[in-house]
Amino acid sequence: MTIRLFYSGTGGNYEEIIKWMKKREYVAHFVRKYPADPNFEIFKTAYEAGNYKEAFYAANKVRKIARKLSFTLLHDLIRELMVNFTQHNFKVDKLFQEIVYVNENILFMLMYLE
């Protein structure tokens, strides 16, 4: 699968990332590093344990990575979750499940990236 198709299938913004990194090879190189980052697992574990403070901090790190890699859908969902957290609304299980699904889709699609 091409990097353009990867971004199309994951809710990312290919045009944005290619403007910033200029070359598809650079984009693919950094996108392939995403699964090695531990912050999503920290976020997921903390949220499931009800540790919303730790979940917030880990989610913020994931949001920043998603922004840098132009994973637009993941970034926007995490931003929405963080807004809920700052308003002391921790009943966001549906949103959390959507974030997990989008992340799993990114990881799945990465397996087929050229």
Side-chain angles (χ1 to χ4, degrees):
M1 157 185 340
T2 65
I3 193 73
R4 181 184 293 270
L5 188 57
F6 167 81
Y7 271 87
S8 173
T10 59
N13 188 330
Y14 176 78
E15 287 74 24
E16 184 177 289
I17 192 73
I18 207 69
K19 271 192 234 176
W20 183 58
M21 288 195 182
K22 307 292 186 220
K23 292 187 177 183
R24 290 186 305 256
E25 295 81 18
Y26 294 158
V27 175
H29 173 77
F30 286 103
V31 164
R32 284 189 181 100
K33 291 180 176 279
Y34 176 72
D37 184 82
N39 286 298
F40 193 87
E41 282 305 312
I42 294 168
F43 159 67
K44 185 177 173 186
T45 303
Y47 181 87
E48 289 171 342
N51 184 347
Y52 301 118
K53 182 176 181 179
E54 185 177 348
F56 180 87
Y57 289 123
N60 190 43
K61 291 175 185 175
V62 175
R63 182 189 61 81
K64 288 178 181 179
I65 293 166
R67 179 72 193 118
K68 288 286 187 191
L69 293 175
S70 293
F71 293 165
T72 309
L73 180 58
L74 182 63
H75 171 270
D76 292 349
L77 290 170
I78 292 174
R79 186 181 62 207
E80 184 179 340
L81 178 113
M82 293 177 69
V83 167
N84 278 280
F85 278 9
T86 59
Q87 296 170 349
H88 302 285
N89 177 14
F90 303 111
K91 304 290 184 196
V92 289
D93 290 341
K94 185 176 178 183
L95 182 57
F96 172 75
Q97 291 302 325
E98 194 172 351
I99 291 167
V100 169
Y101 175 79
V102 169
N103 187 69
E104 287 173 353
N105 186 49
I106 289 170
L107 297 177
F108 177 77
M109 299 282 282
L110 273 171
M111 293 189 306
Y112 298 99
L113 188 60
E114 293 174 346

